[in-house]
Amino acid sequence: MSSGGKTTSFLGVDEQDGKDVEGSGQPRKIPLERSVSAYSEQDVQCGFWVFRGRFWQRLASKKLYVFLFGFVGCLFGSTSAYFYGTLSTVEKSIQISSKNAGIITAGSDLSFVLASLFLSYYASNKRKPLWIALGILSMGLSCFVNALPHFLFGPNVQDMIQQDFGNATVTSKGSNNLCDESRLPPDCSTDLGNLKPQMLLFFGSFLSGAGTSLYFTLGLTYLDDNIRKEKVPFLASLAAFGRRLGPMLGFSMASLCLKYFVFPGVDPGYNSSDPRWIGAWWVGWIVLGAVLLLVAPIFGGFPKILPRAAERKSLSRQASMASGGTVVDDLEPQVSFEDLKVTIKRLLTNKAYVFNNAANVFYMFGYMPYFLFQSKYIEIQYRLTPSQANMVTGSTSLVFSALGLLVAGAVIQRIKPNSRQLAGWNIVTSILTSCGIVFYAYLGCNNLNNTAIVSNSQGMECSLGCNCEFVKYAPICGSDGNTYLSPCHAGCKEQIKQPDGKMLFSDCSCILSELNVSYAASLIDSYNETTSEQPVRTYSGTATSGSCPVDCMTPFYMFLLVLCINKFIGGTESAANFLIGLRCVEERDKAISMGLSMAVNTLLSFLPAPIIFGAIIDRTCVLWGQTCSKKGNCWLYDGQALRTTMNYTSAVFVIIGTCFDVGTWWYSKNFKIFDSEGKVVPEEEEKNGTELQQQEMTGLMKESSERQ
């Protein structure tokens, strides 16, 4: 060829035309002209530093990228779900409210906005996998930071262990939770407050937000750039399916970790069903952080563009040149602030893009309490342990969400609906989802009345002289069938340990002893006393440790059924919404459009929603923990008030989002979802598309050489 007609091979193999290279067993690749090629050898090389060569180059495939992209998404989803699953335990550990927990999540949202607007735009023309690897490293470091509060500011192990006096009867002078008229106030000189651990968790959240932004904005555009558009829906759904499995893994890990005491190897004297139980919430952060740090360098080894995609795009340029078309300049566009303003202005004048993002803002606002507080909601409404609530959330409901996403991707891949049909489906699913959320408000446990528990314990004359103000919440079940906040609040003056490990509290001035014979005998196996005398109506009853049993399983199963249906419907909506958001903008604007969308969603929904719904949950609290400096975490909530307030508020936001989706449907008629515009690619061409292209382009290249 003449000067300027030099050739380059993307995979580093022989560049001559013909059959296999002698002795290599590898087919020869078609030479591509540098004058029309947008990519160099370095752009398609897999690996980094000394990890380069033929072995590493074989890893540069779309299948491996989709697998790793889904796997990393699974890890990212696990970190978020693990945080949500251990949230109620962390609140008890460092004694904070739900509103403060929502403020901690604002750190992630803040860094997410900054990274989405600036880093994603700057890195859009760079080697995307390398920047994604930096995001994975940031997420890994955030996991270790989140575990630090346990080691630096964790509770004192001696304060969490229940006093064990063997089988001896203990009076109020020997226990710290019995009625004691001479109890002294606590020593507040050692109370350092809870600001420092909150600041540490905020910093960990800040690191995770930057990593999440780089992963989503650059990872999805890299996937779309390197795969044929007709294959994108199904492969993107496969990757998203892996991401949806992440929450299931995270909640399951939270369930496993919370089964073990926060100090491994220590027996606190009570089990995980006791509300004082604090599980080993910090263990999962160590495991997740280690795995993320190991995966980051592997992901960073992917090239700037996959070899097959580089061949496909360069062959298309050669075809354009051979037919007399215009060849696009190979130089990368210059990144500048002025260009960023022009791009954002172009996006803001795109009506379909604007309506779609407005709908997403309200959807995310309405769905936020079920992302952040779902496990806590189940604990409150149906009195499940944190471990049980996380297992239900992770292994049941989220599986249906992942299945909905996978089924939707397969259906879209097969029937190839147009943009309006996808937007219309979003409207239908949103209406169904809002109906399901309203139905949640009617699925409560009527047998669980925390307000009555507080009224039975606080302000009673029978325990006014017991000095119970700073006694920790330790519920007991009285022989009268009522639950009391602690032995002190029930006026109990003695305790003894039973053979089954439970504590028996006696001489309780607030508990009627009339039911002792019939009720207490069924609770205390070690005291099989019988009497023929009629019980005397006196206030000196007994109680056992733990709340009185309440059957909430029937409404819980109903709630779980509706939740799974809602998750499946929401999963099908996610696949359609992803394609609309990606196809309603120009090719050059994809990276910044996703970054801008995530920034807007973060500022208007992810940032304020946790704080607002955290405040809503706090307003339904009926029992706050008391510390020297301020009130601590909430121990009991009004379940009915929480159900109605939270679910109705969420449903309103989802309905408003549906109205904006109508606008998306109206303006989504001028862009196409698939390259083939609904035509199915023949199976033979699907399998051998690259080889057929190469045969066709060989003739075009020879003709181009003759012209030169």
Side-chain angles (χ1 to χ4, degrees):
M1 291 186 181
S2 61
S3 60
K6 294 182 180 180
T7 61
T8 181
S9 172
F10 286 131
L11 297 181
V13 296
D14 194 285
E15 298 179 2
Q16 300 177 4
D17 246 345
K19 299 182 180 179
D20 292 352
V21 181
E22 293 184 8
S24 67
Q26 298 290 333
R28 300 179 182 227
K29 299 300 177 182
I30 296 175
L32 303 174
E33 299 182 13
R34 292 187 188 276
S35 59
V36 294
S37 174
Y39 309 102
S40 64
E41 286 280 354
Q42 188 176 3
D43 290 336
V44 295
Q45 283 183 353
C46 191
F48 54 89
W49 196 33
V50 296
F51 302 101
R52 294 181 183 273
R54 185 178 298 274
F55 171 78
W56 300 101
Q57 195 62 36
R58 292 177 180 176
L59 302 180
S61 68
K62 63 182 180 183
K63 294 180 180 178
L64 181 62
Y65 177 81
V66 170
F67 171 77
L68 283 179
F69 184 64
F71 179 69
V72 172
C74 179
L75 293 176
F76 275 41
S78 298
T79 58
S80 300
Y82 189 81
F83 174 78
Y84 301 153
T86 58
L87 183 61
S88 60
T89 301
V90 173
E91 289 180 8
K92 288 190 291 185
S93 179
I94 62 177
Q95 298 183 351
I96 60 174
S97 64
S98 297
K99 181 181 178 181
N100 287 0
I103 294 175
I104 289 174
T105 64
S108 172
D109 301 324
L110 181 62
S111 61
F112 193 97
V113 172
L114 297 176
S116 297
L117 284 177
F118 299 106
L119 285 183
S120 62
Y121 181 73
Y122 175 79
S124 61
N125 296 315
K126 307 297 180 181
R127 186 174 174 180
K128 293 185 180 71
L130 187 60
W131 283 86
I132 298 171
L134 294 177
I136 298 173
L137 286 175
S138 178
M139 179 65 81
L141 292 176
S142 75
C143 293
F144 290 108
V145 172
N146 287 337
L148 284 179
H150 168 72
F151 300 99
L152 300 180
F153 310 103
N156 190 341
V157 62
Q158 297 300 327
D159 294 339
M160 301 187 63
I161 297 177
Q162 182 172 269
Q163 292 174 298
D164 189 357
F165 301 96
N167 295 326
T169 300
V170 181
T171 63
S172 59
K173 300 296 183 182
S175 178
N176 56 10
N177 65 349
L178 293 176
C179 178
D180 186 1
E181 297 179 356
S182 60
R183 180 183 287 111
L184 298 176
D187 181 12
C188 294
S189 61
T190 59
D191 189 356
L192 302 178
N194 54 14
L195 180 60
K196 290 182 179 179
Q198 291 184 72
M199 293 176 62
L200 200 58
L201 290 174
F202 184 89
F203 178 65
S205 180
F206 187 88
L207 289 176
S208 68
T212 304
S213 174
L214 289 173
Y215 167 79
F216 278 105
T217 56
L218 300 179
L220 290 173
T221 54
Y222 186 83
L223 178 70
D224 193 58
D225 291 340
N226 288 274
I227 298 176
R228 297 177 182 274
K229 283 185 168 50
E230 59 267 16
K231 295 183 179 180
V232 168
F234 184 66
L235 292 179
S237 295
L238 283 178
F241 179 75
R243 296 200 304 270
R244 290 300 178 96
L245 292 179
M248 182 181 69
L249 176 63
F251 282 117
S252 299
M253 183 180 296
S255 174
L256 178 63
C257 293
L258 295 181
K259 286 182 179 179
Y260 300 94
F261 192 54
V262 65
F263 297 102
V266 176
D267 183 9
Y270 46 87
N271 56 28
S272 59
S273 62
D274 193 294
R276 295 170 293 174
W277 176 274
I278 297 181
W281 60 271
W282 55 273
V283 175
W285 289 123
I286 304 297
V287 176
L288 290 171
V291 176
L292 285 168
L293 293 184
L294 290 175
V295 173
I298 301 176
F299 203 97
F302 278 96
K304 182 177 181 180
I305 186 171
L306 294 179
R308 283 289 182 89
E311 287 184 7
R312 185 169 62 251
K313 293 182 179 182
S314 296
L315 288 172
S316 178
R317 287 173 177 235
Q318 291 183 16
S320 178
M321 186 190 71
S323 61
T326 303
V327 178
V328 181
D329 189 6
D330 293 345
L331 297 177
E332 293 181 351
Q334 296 295 321
V335 178
S336 66
F337 183 71
E338 291 297 326
D339 186 45
L340 176 61
K341 291 195 299 182
V342 172
T343 303
I344 293 179
K345 182 179 180 180
R346 186 164 54 244
L347 291 174
L348 294 180
T349 56
N350 186 330
K351 295 181 180 179
Y353 177 79
V354 171
F355 273 100
N356 188 52
N357 277 277
N360 285 336
V361 166
F362 285 96
Y363 286 151
M364 292 299 102
F365 209 109
Y367 296 148
M368 181 54 63
Y370 308 105
F371 297 154
L372 186 58
F373 299 113
Q374 180 169 298
S375 295
K376 184 172 184 175
Y377 179 87
I378 294 176
E379 293 176 40
I380 296 171
Q381 294 295 332
Y382 308 105
R383 194 180 279 182
L384 270 65
T385 66
S387 177
Q388 292 171 334
N390 280 284
M391 181 56 67
V392 168
T393 302
S395 62
T396 307
S397 62
L398 292 178
V399 170
F400 283 84
S401 178
L403 287 176
L405 183 64
L406 194 62
V407 169
V411 172
I412 293 173
Q413 170 77 11
R414 182 168 184 82
I415 67 175
K416 291 183 171 57
N418 58 40
S419 57
R420 273 206 160 183
Q421 290 172 333
L422 289 176
W425 175 247
N426 281 351
I427 297 174
V428 174
T429 55
S430 300
I431 294 174
L432 294 177
T433 302
S434 60
C435 292
I437 292 175
V438 171
F439 197 45
Y440 291 159
Y442 299 94
L443 300 175
C445 182
N446 295 326
N447 297 328
L448 186 60
N449 191 346
N450 291 332
T451 305
I453 295 176
V454 175
S455 63
N456 288 339
S457 304
Q458 290 184 340
M460 302 296 291
E461 294 183 2
C462 53
S463 61
L464 284 179
C466 293
N467 295 324
C468 303
E469 182 180 2
F470 287 97
V471 173
K472 294 183 179 180
Y473 175 64
I476 59 172
C477 182
S479 55
D480 57 357
N482 294 323
T483 298
Y484 296 85
L485 299 180
S486 72
C488 180
H489 288 88
C492 301
K493 300 177 179 63
E494 294 182 352
Q495 70 180 36
I496 185 173
K497 188 175 183 179
Q498 302 178 84
D500 61 357
K502 280 191 174 184
M503 300 300 297
L504 174 68
F505 302 95
S506 59
D507 196 12
C508 302
S509 59
C510 297
I511 302 177
L512 280 172
S513 60
E514 182 179 358
L515 301 176
N516 279 2
V517 173
S518 59
Y519 189 81
S522 65
L523 296 176
I524 310 167
D525 296 334
S526 61
Y527 290 85
N528 296 321
E529 301 175 357
T530 59
T531 177
S532 58
E533 299 180 5
Q534 293 295 326
V536 181
R537 188 178 181 84
T538 59
Y539 286 90
S540 59
T542 61
T544 56
S545 57
S547 302
C548 294
V550 176
D551 184 13
C552 296
M553 297 312 295
T554 300
F556 168 69
Y557 288 135
M558 291 294 297
F559 169 81
L560 187 61
L561 176 62
V562 179
L563 179 67
C564 291
I565 295 174
N566 255 14
K567 291 288 185 180
F568 182 84
I569 295 174
T572 62
E573 179 183 4
S574 298
N577 194 61
F578 163 74
L579 287 176
I580 292 176
L582 204 60
R583 296 288 186 260
C584 68
V585 299
E586 298 180 23
E587 188 79 14
R588 56 181 173 173
D589 296 337
K590 280 192 300 183
I592 187 60
S593 69
M594 297 199 68
L596 181 61
S597 297
M598 292 183 178
V600 171
N601 276 275
T602 300
L603 283 174
L604 301 181
S605 59
F606 287 108
L607 183 61
I611 300 175
I612 291 175
F613 280 103
I616 290 175
I617 293 176
D618 287 342
R619 289 189 63 181
T620 63
C621 181
V622 293
L623 178 65
W624 287 99
Q626 183 69 29
T627 64
C628 291
S629 57
K630 61 179 72 174
K631 66 181 180 183
N633 61 292
C634 181
W635 289 102
L636 291 175
Y637 296 87
D638 185 344
Q640 183 176 358
L642 176 61
R643 283 198 313 273
T644 55
T645 307
M646 192 179 85
N647 291 312
Y648 287 158
T649 305
S650 298
V652 169
F653 280 103
V654 175
I655 292 172
I656 295 175
T658 306
C659 297
F660 281 100
D661 249 345
V662 175
T664 305
W665 172 83
W666 180 259
Y667 290 107
S668 63
K669 54 187 176 182
N670 295 324
F671 56 88
K672 61 181 181 179
I673 302 296
F674 304 96
D675 286 338
S676 56
E677 296 181 340
K679 298 179 182 179
V680 180
V681 180
E683 184 176 353
E684 188 66 24
E685 183 181 347
E686 182 76 17
K687 294 180 180 179
N688 306 300
T690 303
E691 297 178 2
L692 294 174
Q693 265 195 332
Q694 290 177 348
Q695 295 174 4
E696 178 182 0
M697 291 309 303
T698 301
L700 292 174
M701 291 173 61
K702 290 181 179 179
E703 181 181 354
S704 174
S705 299
E706 292 174 359
R707 290 182 180 179
Q708 292 179 2

